[in-house]
Amino acid sequence: MLLFLLALLLVLAACSPSESLPLPEDTSFRVARLFQPGMVAQRASALPVWGLAPPGTEVTVRLDDEVHSVQTGPSARWRIEMEPRTAGGPHTLTITAGEEMVEITDLIYGDVWVASGQSNMEWRVANSRDAAAEIAAAADPAIRQFKVPLTWAYQPQEELVGGAWSSATSE
């Protein structure tokens, strides 16, 4: 019985919430890299917004008329979920922590597709048949891509190494 209780205690410790993770080296206020002007959020789904701020900081997230606040705990991590929305936009997402503010403009809701893992994902339109015509016809700013630079790690990473949103335009 004692061995069972010890095993149960170890399992519970391993499954504890993120507040028990070690404190990041830099706890200055920041939002996850995915949150940049021009981002696309999945329609009809809650929008999780997360980042870091010094422990004890009140973080407020505003999207249109919806406002939520949370106070960071000892881990410096924060997360707020915004209500689902229908497709459309543009919206402005504003995140504040004390005197600091991050404003994400031109946010639209639509369908988000995650594509990863194949070499053909790196194929550039410029290398395609009729490339000049395809590039000239690219004119839909509502089609957007968040491209993460190639990278690898032995363990899951808390932060993306880079990435930016871009629209489907000739440029």
Side-chain angles (χ1 to χ4, degrees):
M1 181 66 162
L2 183 59
L3 187 57
F4 172 75
L5 290 175
L6 181 59
L8 181 61
L9 181 62
L10 288 173
V11 168
L12 290 175
C15 297
S16 61
S18 64
E19 286 295 318
S20 66
L21 293 174
L23 189 67
E25 288 182 25
D26 176 14
T27 62
S28 60
F29 170 60
R30 62 186 178 277
V31 180
R33 190 178 307 267
L34 188 62
F35 296 92
Q36 297 179 24
M39 79 173 285
V40 178
Q42 179 60 46
R43 67 183 172 95
S45 293
L47 172 62
V49 183
W50 69 94
L52 292 172
T57 301
E58 183 175 358
V59 178
T60 301
V61 178
R62 175 184 301 272
L63 178 62
D64 301 331
D65 294 332
E66 183 183 358
V67 180
H68 297 283
S69 295
V70 67
Q71 188 167 359
T72 57
S75 75
R77 293 167 183 86
W78 58 269
R79 178 186 157 115
I80 293 174
E81 280 200 10
M82 306 308 282
E83 295 295 320
R85 290 195 167 41
T86 58
H91 301 274
T92 299
L93 180 70
T94 306
I95 304 120
T96 57
E99 299 296 316
E100 296 183 79
M101 182 181 79
V102 173
E103 188 173 73
I104 313 304
T105 57
D106 195 24
L107 181 152
I108 62 170
Y109 278 82
D111 289 316
V112 176
W113 295 79
V114 178
S116 157
Q118 297 295 318
S119 60
N120 62 355
M121 299 303 297
E122 292 294 317
W123 187 265
R124 301 180 61 81
V125 175
N127 297 332
S128 300
R129 181 179 308 155
D130 298 324
E134 292 295 333
I135 291 170
D140 191 342
I143 297 176
R144 301 172 182 186
Q145 170 185 343
F146 186 86
K147 184 172 170 76
V148 179
L150 291 175
T151 187
W152 62 272
Y154 288 110
Q155 299 293 324
Q157 300 298 296
E158 190 167 338
E159 189 76 44
L160 294 172
V161 297
W165 287 98
S166 58
S167 295
T169 64
S170 295
E171 292 79 41

